[in-house]
Amino acid sequence: MNDTFTRVSSPGGSVHAGQGHIYNFHSCTTSSSAQQPAGRSPRRIADDQLRLLRQRFVDPTGMGEARRLLVEHSTVILDGPPGSGRSAAARVLLYELHQSTGIFRELLPGDKEEVALTDAGLVGPGDRLLLDLGEADMAGWWKYRRDLSALRKAAQEQHAHLVVVMPPDGTLESDLQPYRAEISCPPAQEVLRRHLRFHQIPHEEYLQSAPASAEFLDAPRSMEEIADFADRVRRARGAHRTPDDFAGWCEQARDARKTWKHEVAGLVAERCTAPQRALLCTTAMLHGAHADVIHRASALLLRTLKTPRDTVHLLEGKDLAERLTEISASAGPDGHVRFDRLGFDAAVRVHFWDHMPDLRPLLSAWADRTAELVDRHLTEDLRRELVRRLADQYLRTGKWRELAALADKWGTGPAHPVRPDAAIHALSCGLESKQYGANFRELVYTWCRDKQLAGDLAYVLLRVCTEVMAPTHPDQAMVRLRHLARREHGGATPALDALCDLVATSSRLRRRMLDRLTRHSSAPATDARLFLRICDPVPLTDPGGSPRALLDESYVQGCVTTGWRAVLVHLPRAHWHPYAKRWLHTASDAGDHRDLLLDLLVDAADRDGTSLATLYAVARAAEPTTSSGSAHGVTTTDRLLQKISAAQGLRPTAASSRPAPPRGTTP
């Protein structure tokens, strides 16, 4: 199969109601030839993630001072004990700025793709930068601390904002002390209630007396622990277990903090038949699914394991309710199956994975086949959760390469409506992993650049780059999208479209991409095709919120000249003609930038008579379609002719004479 891929389609968005990042995935209904990206900009996705974080955030002590420092000095360095919510506070501070320009971005010092903190091109106009060193060791903190002054200065110059999270017990130089804000944990009760409200638990419920909640909050708790407790209360409420009130939910949430390790081991030892263990494992992997799904998936697991079929007559065997009772589970009033103890499902998954290692590849095959089942109760959320639970076991035990191989299998295998989404979910779990995120970013880079794009893999990589990587790591996403775009052929260019959308969010990204396409190109003809889309004259001449337009920078002018020269040399006129026409239209309307736009085109022709004549012919043809009127088009064409004549060493011709075209081919 070749590396060509085409545009893909997807429906609308989804809602996040839990902890951590939000990644929006959408089901595909056919193969990649009928799919396309969701179309939401990375900035919008990042802002949505930060907005959801803000909704469940309670200001820690010292947050007001942090806000003041960030507004007055464009920089704040957060200090505080572990568990005080420093990273969340940093993100909320940046979200509250509501900049009209720039993007949110997490800096990754030490990452081989990340430029140094002192690099002048690191900060873009209006950017919101997060440098989270909260878990750095003292050697790492000392290394990056030296560059903070230069980074802070760059942020000020670009009207950007920088929030740094420093490690506990870290030290600061005297020149950085004025930007330090110390925060401490907010009231635990208020944090818990904010999370419960976020989970849509009515206040008349959580204001009831709950001894287990009070017991939990009596001990010092990190913000993450409180959020996790609130989420367990939410799950207990949805399970409808007795006692079914707030005090009972809190008791279940408290008990769910147990690992249930010995209880699970005892249950597995007691339920030693294949059907019992298959039902136990299936219930854990599909916890909360409808009983019909549990029944079918359990039977599918037995078939996957090639277990002989039970010869007992259907009416003589145990019904599903009895079998569920044997494994300490039951179906609730809504027909959905859950274990009787909260958190028991996670313990069962861990037990089977750790103590039956030969089962692991078969579980992956079973998950694949289960996700493909056609059942109205098997929702997209349930399929996503199944992949996540499987991925968690791979990552928990350090098997990230095996998870990547599974994503590869799902992405490149035979076409099926659910396989691409499964691959996306698996890769996203790897990318959001603190321990293995860098490994997966490198893997995605290698796949985008070199791997055969069989099956739906190109679509999978496109979605991962645009919806998972770009919101927080736009530079890395941009590089990977460029490699995908270089491999596109034919009329549809979804990766190039996504790349254009991404660079449109930041002048810094556009500058960096122009540099890569013109100064560091290993495939001039291919990159010339991409250059025409990235080198849009309108954003180049529009300063937006910056002090000056990109095209006013001499370095960008050099990139533009080099890029257009490659276009004129390597691409046919039919391909670049509409882009040159847009360039000339912009010149007619650009006022102060008119001469510069024309100069760059003429310089790109490098005194080649054929190229100059072709440019002149394009200008003549574009005159009637200039938005500001044909008179402006005529003026632009005459000005272009003067510059062409000067480049060829000819005497300038009066504009009104409308002379023959310059030496070369006739228009």
Side-chain angles (χ1 to χ4, degrees), residues 398-462:
K399 307 292 184 181
W400 73 268
R401 290 183 178 84
E402 288 80 353
L403 177 59
L406 183 60
D408 182 16
K409 177 183 176 182
W410 282 334
T412 59
H416 191 280
V418 304
R419 280 178 171 266
D421 276 358
I424 292 170
H425 303 331
L427 288 176
S428 72
C429 289
L431 287 166
E432 69 177 330
S433 165
K434 290 184 178 180
Q435 188 172 1
Y436 301 107
N439 300 97
F440 275 87
R441 287 194 296 272
E442 184 175 359
L443 176 80
V444 171
Y445 173 81
T446 302
W447 285 5
C448 288
R449 185 189 63 184
D450 299 323
K451 188 173 176 59
Q452 183 181 12
L453 300 178
D456 290 300
L457 185 60
Y459 165 68
V460 169
L461 293 172
L462 175 61

Side-chain angles (χ1 to χ4, degrees), residues 374-433:
V374 178
D375 191 301
R376 67 185 182 89
H377 297 296
L378 189 58
T379 64
E380 290 303 318
D381 286 343
L382 184 57
R383 290 190 176 97
R384 183 187 305 116
E385 190 67 12
L386 173 60
V387 174
R388 185 193 65 78
R389 288 166 177 165
L390 184 63
D392 284 348
Q393 300 309 312
Y394 278 109
L395 296 172
R396 182 182 61 83
T397 53
K399 307 292 184 181
W400 73 268
R401 290 183 178 84
E402 288 80 353
L403 177 59
L406 183 60
D408 182 16
K409 177 183 176 182
W410 282 334
T412 59
H416 191 280
V418 304
R419 280 178 171 266
D421 276 358
I424 292 170
H425 303 331
L427 288 176
S428 72
C429 289
L431 287 166
E432 69 177 330
S433 165

Side-chain angles (χ1 to χ4, degrees), residues 82-116:
S84 58
R86 294 164 299 159
S87 294
R91 288 171 168 80
V92 169
L93 285 168
L94 292 171
Y95 169 72
E96 291 175 341
L97 293 171
H98 296 296
Q99 294 283 86
S100 59
T101 59
I103 55 177
F104 171 77
R105 180 181 173 207
E106 294 183 39
L107 301 180
L108 297 173
D111 192 290
K112 66 179 183 179
E113 292 186 68
E114 190 76 88
V115 299

Side-chain angles (χ1 to χ4, degrees), residues 272-490:
C272 56
T273 68
Q276 287 175 323
R277 290 183 173 179
L279 184 61
L280 181 61
C281 184
T282 298
T283 302
M285 294 298 293
L286 291 167
H287 196 249
H290 193 273
D292 288 353
V293 175
I294 296 293
H295 173 72
R296 293 185 63 187
S298 178
L300 182 58
L301 179 56
L302 290 172
R303 291 198 298 273
T304 304
L305 298 173
K306 295 182 170 52
T307 304
R309 295 190 61 179
D310 194 343
T311 57
V312 177
H313 193 280
L314 289 176
L315 293 178
E316 296 177 352
K318 299 175 182 178
D319 63 18
L320 183 59
E322 184 179 359
R323 294 174 59 212
L324 288 173
T325 301
E326 291 178 344
I327 62 168
S328 301
S330 61
D334 56 359
H336 292 258
V337 176
R338 298 176 179 88
F339 287 110
D340 297 336
R341 288 169 283 195
L342 198 63
F344 201 75
D345 58 309
V348 173
R349 292 193 293 270
V350 168
H351 181 91
F352 275 101
W353 191 267
D354 288 352
H355 299 290
M356 297 183 181
D358 293 339
L359 190 62
R360 295 171 187 172
L362 295 171
L363 272 179
S364 300
W366 166 81
D368 186 9
R369 297 175 65 185
T370 298
E372 295 177 0
L373 290 175
V374 178
D375 191 301
R376 67 185 182 89
H377 297 296
L378 189 58
T379 64
E380 290 303 318
D381 286 343
L382 184 57
R383 290 190 176 97
R384 183 187 305 116
E385 190 67 12
L386 173 60
V387 174
R388 185 193 65 78
R389 288 166 177 165
L390 184 63
D392 284 348
Q393 300 309 312
Y394 278 109
L395 296 172
R396 182 182 61 83
T397 53
K399 307 292 184 181
W400 73 268
R401 290 183 178 84
E402 288 80 353
L403 177 59
L406 183 60
D408 182 16
K409 177 183 176 182
W410 282 334
T412 59
H416 191 280
V418 304
R419 280 178 171 266
D421 276 358
I424 292 170
H425 303 331
L427 288 176
S428 72
C429 289
L431 287 166
E432 69 177 330
S433 165
K434 290 184 178 180
Q435 188 172 1
Y436 301 107
N439 300 97
F440 275 87
R441 287 194 296 272
E442 184 175 359
L443 176 80
V444 171
Y445 173 81
T446 302
W447 285 5
C448 288
R449 185 189 63 184
D450 299 323
K451 188 173 176 59
Q452 183 181 12
L453 300 178
D456 290 300
L457 185 60
Y459 165 68
V460 169
L461 293 172
L462 175 61
R463 294 290 297 276
V464 164
C465 289
T466 56
E467 298 187 14
V468 181
M469 294 187 65
T472 52
H473 304 102
D475 292 63
Q476 287 82 351
M478 179 183 70
V479 171
R480 288 151 182 75
L481 287 172
R482 178 213 180 180
H483 285 296
L484 279 180
R486 294 174 97 183
R487 305 172 70 178
E488 290 178 322
H489 305 284

Side-chain angles (χ1 to χ4, degrees), residues 35 140 154 156 230 269 295 303 336 513 532:
Q35 302 159 347
Q156 281 187 317
H295 173 72
R303 291 198 298 273
H336 292 258
M513 183 48 56
L532 287 174

Side-chain angles (χ1 to χ4, degrees), residues 15 23 49 91 97 106 116 135 147 187 195 257 312 331 360 384 387 389 447 472 518 523 538 560 591 658:
V15 178
Y23 299 123
Q49 294 172 7
R91 288 171 168 80
L97 293 171
E106 294 183 39
E135 297 184 6
D147 299 332
H195 279 276
R257 299 182 69 243
V312 177
R360 295 171 187 172
R384 183 187 305 116
V387 174
R389 288 166 177 165
W447 285 5
T472 52
T518 59
V538 174
V560 170
R658 306 296 291 167

Side-chain angles (χ1 to χ4, degrees), residues 13-188:
S14 58
V15 178
H16 176 66
Q19 295 177 233
H21 299 301
I22 176 173
Y23 299 123
N24 291 284
F25 304 117
H26 309 279
S27 63
C28 52
T29 55
T30 58
S31 64
S32 59
S33 61
Q35 302 159 347
Q36 73 178 25
R40 291 208 308 150
S41 74
R43 172 169 178 148
R44 175 68 180 276
I45 295 173
D47 284 345
D48 284 351
Q49 294 172 7
L50 295 172
R51 175 179 54 80
L52 290 169
L53 174 62
R54 183 68 184 90
Q55 289 176 0
R56 58 184 187 270
F57 181 78
V58 176
D59 283 4
T61 304
M63 192 69 169
E65 175 66 5
R67 289 190 177 98
R68 183 189 68 81
L69 292 173
L70 186 59
V71 170
E72 293 183 3
H73 302 288
S74 301
T75 300
V76 64
I77 302 173
L78 296 182
D79 188 12
S84 58
R86 294 164 299 159
S87 294
R91 288 171 168 80
V92 169
L93 285 168
L94 292 171
Y95 169 72
E96 291 175 341
L97 293 171
H98 296 296
Q99 294 283 86
S100 59
T101 59
I103 55 177
F104 171 77
R105 180 181 173 207
E106 294 183 39
L107 301 180
L108 297 173
D111 192 290
K112 66 179 183 179
E113 292 186 68
E114 190 76 88
V115 299
L117 296 179
T118 55
D119 191 291
L122 180 66
V123 185
D127 281 354
R128 297 169 291 165
L129 306 174
L130 169 61
L131 178 60
D132 192 346
L133 299 173
E135 297 184 6
D137 55 24
M138 289 301 103
W141 170 242
W142 180 83
K143 176 182 178 182
Y144 300 119
R145 189 183 64 202
R146 295 174 302 170
D147 299 332
L148 288 184
S149 293
L151 180 59
R152 185 186 68 81
K153 181 180 179 182
Q156 281 187 317
E157 292 174 347
Q158 294 290 345
H159 302 287
H161 291 82
L162 168 68
V163 179
V164 181
V165 179
M166 62 183 291
D169 303 322
T171 58
L172 280 177
E173 284 75 5
S174 58
D175 62 321
L176 293 173
Q177 282 290 349
Y179 312 109
R180 175 178 170 270
E182 186 172 358
I183 65 173
S184 57
C185 297

